[in-house]
Amino acid sequence: MGFRALFFFAAIFFSFSTTIIYSAYAEGEGEAEVGSGLVIDFYKDTCPQAEDIIKEQVKLLYKRHKNTAFSWLRNIFHDCAVQSCDASLLLDSTRRDLSEKETDRSFGMRNFRYLDTIKEAVERECPGVVSCADILVLSARDGVVALGGPQIPLKTGRRDGRRSRADVIEEHLPDHNESMSVVLERFAKMGIDTPGVVALLGAHSVGRTHCVKLVQRLYPEVDPALNPDHVEHMLYKCPDPIPDPKAVQYVRNDRGTPMIFDNNYYRNILDNKGLLLVDHQLAVDKRTKPYVKKMAKSQNYFFKEFARALTTLSENNPLTGDKGEIRRQCNVANKHH
């Protein structure tokens, strides 16, 4: 999904929007399959402070490092979309397995060390109880709130995988240059419908995208679908046809409200100001455009659909019960003798 985002906003707005709770469960939507092992407040008996600790750590880290919150949101997509929400994304490479973090599809992802900070805080309270998979999911949930987005009740009880899934990333993770048919098909396999896909891509409302991800729309010829007024800014930010991946060359996803998680993204892409090809396709494809227009008009509708889709994503094929493990450190699987 490109290099996401910084979603933060004015204090007066913040206090209002974060009081709204969007629950997929209230309408019977987004429930995990019977017997999946995921429940609301899974740790209420074994580690009752777990969710409060995670929430507090997310707030503290956001105050110190503004870019952590959008990292949390990108993490849940990159982990849960690849077969299972099992924190396989966080594993370091081994002699046998390449880390998912080190593949091209994880370009621009960072702040993994701060998930270790959260894990350490939880471990001090309840050693060996709370999984990295649940910490990854809950940090995304709390990051969205810190950014002014909706509060979303998410279930817990996931366990951690023992191996990276780098070899199957391309089979599962939608890419920003793929056709809308492929994008919709990939999400549908996770149980996410078309309005859900449109809502999840609303995360592009915030943050920035590295020039590496968008120069194909500028060179050798400018994509005629782009708004000419926006092209000038994009060329200024991305002057090189072959940008250095290590260079600080980015374009803000939303120049109007770049630090706010809001529905301005949809107005932008209807005005042909989407940076990525998938943004443009979302606004013109007959299957997705009606939902884009509806979300452009109603932030409430956007938040509702985003909450529903994120809930479904977070419950994608979790390891529960006696499957997997509870890692002691999020970047390495436990040693078994």
Side-chain angles (χ1 to χ4, degrees):
M1 293 205 304
F3 197 22
R4 296 303 147 241
L6 295 140
F7 341 166
F8 308 97
F9 69 148
I12 187 168
F13 229 129
F14 180 91
S15 61
F16 167 74
S17 65
T18 55
T19 61
I20 304 173
I21 299 178
Y22 289 78
S23 174
Y25 309 112
E27 301 172 6
E29 300 172 334
E31 292 289 347
E33 292 179 8
V34 175
S36 72
L38 296 184
V39 296
I40 292 290
D41 205 9
F42 178 84
Y43 299 105
K44 67 180 184 297
D45 296 323
T46 55
C47 188
Q49 298 301 313
E51 295 201 24
D52 287 339
I53 293 170
I54 294 168
K55 189 175 298 183
E56 185 62 26
Q57 286 295 314
V58 167
K59 288 180 181 178
L60 289 172
L61 287 164
Y62 167 55
K63 286 180 181 178
R64 297 173 193 160
H65 313 283
K66 298 298 184 186
N67 60 11
T68 52
F70 60 80
S71 294
W72 308 148
L73 185 53
R74 193 172 177 202
N75 285 346
I76 193 173
F77 172 71
H78 277 258
D79 188 58
C80 294
V82 184
Q83 286 191 328
S84 172
C85 286
D86 64 351
S88 59
L89 172 70
L90 307 180
L91 290 169
D92 292 339
S93 290
T94 65
R95 283 177 295 179
R96 185 172 59 176
D97 293 321
L98 173 68
S99 168
E100 292 171 41
K101 295 182 291 188
E102 295 177 19
T103 65
D104 290 342
R105 296 300 299 278
S106 296
F107 174 78
M109 296 188 72
R110 54 181 175 170
N111 291 323
F112 295 113
R113 65 189 184 278
Y114 295 129
L115 272 177
D116 296 334
T117 301
I118 300 174
K119 172 68 169 175
E120 289 164 7
V122 175
E123 286 291 301
R124 285 193 293 270
E125 178 74 17
C126 312
V129 174
V130 181
S131 69
C132 297
D134 276 340
I135 290 173
L136 183 151
V137 166
L138 294 179
S139 63
R141 178 196 69 182
D142 296 335
V144 168
V145 173
L147 312 170
Q151 293 188 35
I152 308 169
L154 295 180
K155 295 180 177 181
T156 43
R158 298 164 192 80
R159 289 169 64 85
D160 300 320
R162 297 189 178 101
R163 295 189 62 178
S164 164
R165 300 179 186 272
D167 57 331
V168 295
I169 282 181
E170 295 298 334
E171 297 173 35
H172 298 275
L173 197 65
D175 187 61
H176 64 91
N177 282 324
E178 288 176 312
S179 70
M180 186 53 58
S181 292
V182 171
V183 171
L184 292 175
E185 179 186 350
R186 295 276 175 89
F187 278 107
K189 288 180 179 178
M190 294 179 257
I192 298 172
D193 58 15
T194 300
V197 174
V198 175
L200 284 178
L201 285 170
H204 292 189
S205 168
V206 287
R208 56 192 188 174
T209 297
H210 198 285
C211 293
V212 165
K213 295 292 186 179
L214 55 86
V215 286
Q216 70 274 13
R217 300 196 71 196
L218 299 174
Y219 303 99
E221 300 291 336
V222 172
D223 184 341
L226 283 167
N227 186 313
D229 293 337
H230 206 48
V231 168
E232 184 179 356
H233 176 71
M234 292 171 68
L235 288 170
Y236 172 74
K237 291 291 186 177
C238 301
D240 304 314
I242 306 176
D244 180 356
K246 297 180 180 178
V248 184
Q249 292 186 324
Y250 301 93
V251 180
R252 289 193 182 278
N253 291 335
D254 176 4
R255 294 174 67 191
T257 56
M259 316 289 271
I260 304 174
F261 186 76
D262 61 12
N263 64 335
N264 206 42
Y265 164 74
Y266 301 104
R267 290 189 283 271
N268 284 336
I269 63 175
L270 287 171
D271 197 25
N272 296 316
K273 293 179 180 178
L275 300 181
L276 300 172
L277 188 59
V278 71
D279 299 325
H280 171 67
Q281 291 185 81
L282 203 68
V284 299
D285 191 283
K286 63 182 181 181
R287 293 164 292 185
T288 53
K289 185 174 182 178
Y291 300 109
V292 170
K293 294 173 74 173
K294 192 171 180 179
M295 290 179 198
K297 292 179 181 177
S298 171
Q299 181 151 287
N300 253 4
Y301 176 66
F302 163 46
F303 279 4
K304 176 177 175 289
E305 289 298 327
F306 181 84
R308 188 171 65 89
L310 195 73
T311 298
T312 302
L313 179 64
S314 75
E315 296 176 3
N316 184 34
N317 194 29
L319 301 179
T320 59
D322 58 0
K323 297 178 182 176
E325 64 185 16
I326 305 297
R327 282 183 220 148
R328 297 181 185 88
Q329 293 177 247
C330 290
N331 63 325
V332 291
N334 296 340
K335 292 181 180 179
H336 297 274
H337 301 288

